[in-house]
Amino acid sequence: MALEIVSEIVSEVKNILDSLLPDYKRLHYEFDVSSNNERGITKRFGFIPEAASFKEGSALGFTTMEHDFQLILVTDFQNKDDDSSQAIAVQGLYSKAHEVLKNLQSKPLTLPTSGYRVLLISGISFDAPEYINENSTVVLRANFNFTYRFRNNC
């Protein structure tokens, strides 16, 4: 059941991102962002699972997991006379990431297929912006932890 929950979380969050970021498209390559076509990588997003661990003190009959996920936001920029385009691109990605995180924390995330709920979203951090495609594309990664519980007999 744990693997299905992870798939459901990823799917549900991507659906939320589709509606929350209507001018963004899904990345074709989320795990290796640099594999995306360098043209047309403006305003893209990804959402991927990362490390997970069992949480101590689980309720009888249930397993509680803490699972890290990563939001990936990507856009292009072109510096001409200075780095103002780069600064605007980075600030825009931070703004979008903040909007996403506020939305995810504003209401319970109930998984439609299993009916389980994410209990807590915490541990939010940002990696330093990274630059790819000869420094013309900026990638911002926001990391956060989802705590969820599932029945042991599933």
Side-chain angles (χ1 to χ4, degrees):
M1 181 50 114
L3 292 178
E4 290 86 0
I5 291 173
V6 172
S7 295
E8 267 194 277
I9 289 171
V10 169
S11 178
E12 190 63 18
V13 170
K14 284 182 179 180
N15 289 338
I16 290 169
L17 294 172
D18 284 334
S19 63
L20 194 59
L21 305 172
D23 53 338
Y24 278 64
K25 295 180 182 173
R26 294 182 183 197
L27 285 164
H28 294 291
Y29 297 96
E30 297 173 288
F31 292 94
D32 182 12
V33 175
S34 63
S35 291
N36 288 281
N37 182 345
E38 62 186 68
R39 284 189 226 175
I41 198 169
T42 297
K43 295 185 177 180
R44 301 290 176 138
F45 73 84
F47 185 78
I48 58 173
E50 295 201 314
S53 60
F54 292 100
K55 186 171 172 136
E56 295 295 325
S58 296
L60 290 177
F62 290 89
T63 298
T64 303
M65 298 289 296
E66 290 186 342
H67 203 134
D68 295 330
F69 289 87
Q70 187 173 77
L71 168 67
I72 305 157
L73 297 175
V74 180
T75 199
D76 287 338
F77 64 89
Q78 275 193 323
N79 285 332
K80 293 187 179 176
D81 298 328
D82 58 20
D83 63 0
S84 61
S85 295
Q86 179 178 355
I88 290 168
V90 170
Q91 291 166 3
L93 292 181
Y94 273 112
S95 176
K96 289 296 181 183
H98 186 251
E99 186 180 330
V100 168
L101 296 173
K102 278 191 334 188
N103 179 279
L104 289 176
Q105 290 188 311
S106 69
K107 56 188 176 277
L109 180 61
T110 302
L111 306 175
T113 304
S114 67
Y116 289 112
R117 285 183 20 182
V118 172
L119 304 173
L120 178 67
I121 299 174
S122 62
I124 298 165
S125 67
F126 292 91
D127 294 349
E130 97 188 60
Y131 299 93
I132 59 173
N133 297 337
E134 299 177 5
N135 290 328
S136 65
T137 302
V138 61
V139 180
L140 181 66
R141 298 172 189 273
N143 307 291
F144 40 101
N145 180 278
F146 280 41
T147 301
Y148 55 89
R149 182 178 295 150
F150 57 91
R151 290 187 190 281
N152 290 338
N153 62 355
C154 292

